Amino acid sequence: MKPEYLQDVPLDQAHFPDEQLRTKLKYFIDTNKDGILSRQERENIYYLSLYSSYNGVTKTWYPDIDYSAQPKYSGDSYTVRDETKRTLSLNFNVNDENPQHALADRNVDLTGIEYFFNLQEVKANKCELLKGSFKNNANLRKIWIRCSKLGDKNYDTIQTDFPVSQLTYMHLENVNAGTLDTKQIPNLEILRVILPDGSNSRLKALDLSKNLMLKELTLTNIMPAKLDLRKNQKLETVKVSSGKSKKGQLYEWASDNYGIKKHICLLYIMRRKRTRRVRSPLQRKIKLRCFTILPETRTLI
């Protein structure tokens, strides 16, 4: 991390080129209104929510960012409260001077976000409207990215905008991920790629052999030609599904104790998913706690 990111920074066009961003930071972060964002004013921002339902700084965040998109969670039931870490929520459609008058969508340049040096997690809706890089946010570990429609962003732009190699959590929604490559993300624990029904996306290969810390894998409407999970000893949850297909596909699952290959049918039901507990028949340490299967495929093959 560059030492300059730890210093006081003027809230000006040179450091924060986007007027929309400067206006929000002046309103919510520059508490003494001196035109300077001090280290003290920035150091307690650990979480950033972009295009959330409101603007402001709060003490609450999500234990799992994914819950924020699930309607069955409501109120504070899916949030955690921290007295020392703060969440900065920015919705550029909200007019803070006149909340009744919504602002039209416009591109937002996030240059200057690197001065929030403690930032650990980012949740971004309408990611197609956001420009700028988080590459200099050395403490960033989790990203939840959603585009309004498929094709607005691809995995190459995610790699350009975010320090993916240091992530432990990556949730990509409506992001073209045909070039997805996780071999350079050794500490990745949660990987979710979610595409809309009918997208019929394919991965030529998904090599997870380097992701030894992986605990959860979700692939929705994006199908790898091959999926080998033998190296993923910490894996707890696997959800692989296609919105249209009604046929299963066999992926390898082998026992390191016996050297015997077993197969598990992971895929598919779409509109009527059934989730059940499945344990390895060889009593391995891995327990697949969540597993999407066909109704007629209830056992391991």
Side-chain angles (χ1 to χ4, degrees), residues 197-242:
D197 284 354
S199 52
N200 298 320
S201 293
R202 296 282 176 176
L203 284 169
K204 291 183 178 179
L206 180 59
D207 184 356
L208 299 174
S209 62
K210 304 297 184 183
N211 307 115
L212 303 182
M213 306 300 292
L214 193 66
K215 296 179 180 179
E216 177 186 333
L217 173 66
T218 297
L219 300 173
T220 302
N221 298 313
I222 180 167
M223 296 299 152
K226 180 180 180 181
L227 186 60
D228 189 338
L229 304 175
R230 289 173 291 179
K231 296 289 184 68
N232 306 107
Q233 297 294 308
K234 295 183 180 293
L235 196 61
E236 298 176 351
T237 301
V238 177
K239 297 178 183 178
V240 182
S241 56
S242 167

Side-chain angles (χ1 to χ4, degrees), residues 23-229:
T23 299
K24 298 292 186 187
L25 296 180
K26 180 180 179 180
Y27 203 92
F28 297 109
I29 302 298
D30 186 14
T31 55
N32 60 5
K33 308 305 177 188
D34 64 352
I36 296 175
L37 299 186
S38 68
R39 172 172 177 156
Q40 289 72 29
E41 288 172 323
R42 306 186 326 268
E43 66 183 358
N44 63 352
I45 301 298
Y46 284 78
Y47 313 118
L48 176 65
S49 181
L50 298 166
Y51 281 103
S52 58
S53 59
Y54 59 91
N55 286 310
V57 176
T58 64
K59 297 180 180 180
T60 56
W61 189 239
Y62 311 101
D64 181 339
I65 311 176
D66 184 52
Y67 291 167
S68 63
Q70 304 300 324
K72 66 180 180 179
Y73 294 92
S74 61
D76 293 330
S77 62
Y78 61 87
T79 60
V80 292
R81 187 177 182 87
D82 196 304
E83 295 300 325
T84 60
K85 297 179 180 181
R86 299 291 187 271
T87 298
L88 174 61
S89 298
L90 301 176
N91 187 335
F92 298 98
N93 294 133
V94 175
N95 186 336
D96 298 301
E97 300 296 334
N98 183 7
Q100 303 302 318
H101 178 66
L103 300 175
D105 285 342
R106 292 181 292 176
N107 291 332
V108 178
D109 186 348
L110 296 174
T111 298
I113 201 66
E114 59 270 20
Y115 290 99
F116 290 85
F117 51 87
N118 278 330
L119 195 61
Q120 294 179 346
E121 304 182 23
V122 172
K123 177 180 182 291
N125 282 295
K126 297 186 180 181
C127 191
E128 70 276 6
L129 299 177
L130 304 174
K131 297 181 179 180
S133 174
F134 289 84
K135 282 290 187 72
N136 290 317
N137 293 94
N139 292 311
L140 188 63
R141 295 293 181 268
K142 297 184 179 183
I143 61 172
W144 188 102
I145 305 299
R146 184 182 188 278
C147 292
S148 298
K149 63 181 185 297
L150 182 63
D152 288 335
K153 290 272 187 178
N154 58 47
Y155 185 66
D156 292 336
T157 59
I158 298 299
Q159 287 183 299
T160 299
D161 295 342
F162 295 92
V164 295
S165 63
Q166 67 191 43
L167 298 180
T168 63
Y169 179 117
M170 184 163 62
H171 176 115
L172 305 177
E173 196 165 334
N174 291 347
V175 174
N176 273 332
T179 59
L180 180 66
D181 185 352
T182 63
K183 292 192 292 293
Q184 302 303 317
I185 319 178
N187 295 316
L188 190 64
E189 297 180 9
I190 294 178
L191 173 62
R192 301 189 187 107
V193 181
I194 300 173
L195 303 184
D197 284 354
S199 52
N200 298 320
S201 293
R202 296 282 176 176
L203 284 169
K204 291 183 178 179
L206 180 59
D207 184 356
L208 299 174
S209 62
K210 304 297 184 183
N211 307 115
L212 303 182
M213 306 300 292
L214 193 66
K215 296 179 180 179
E216 177 186 333
L217 173 66
T218 297
L219 300 173
T220 302
N221 298 313
I222 180 167
M223 296 299 152
K226 180 180 180 181
L227 186 60
D228 189 338
L229 304 175

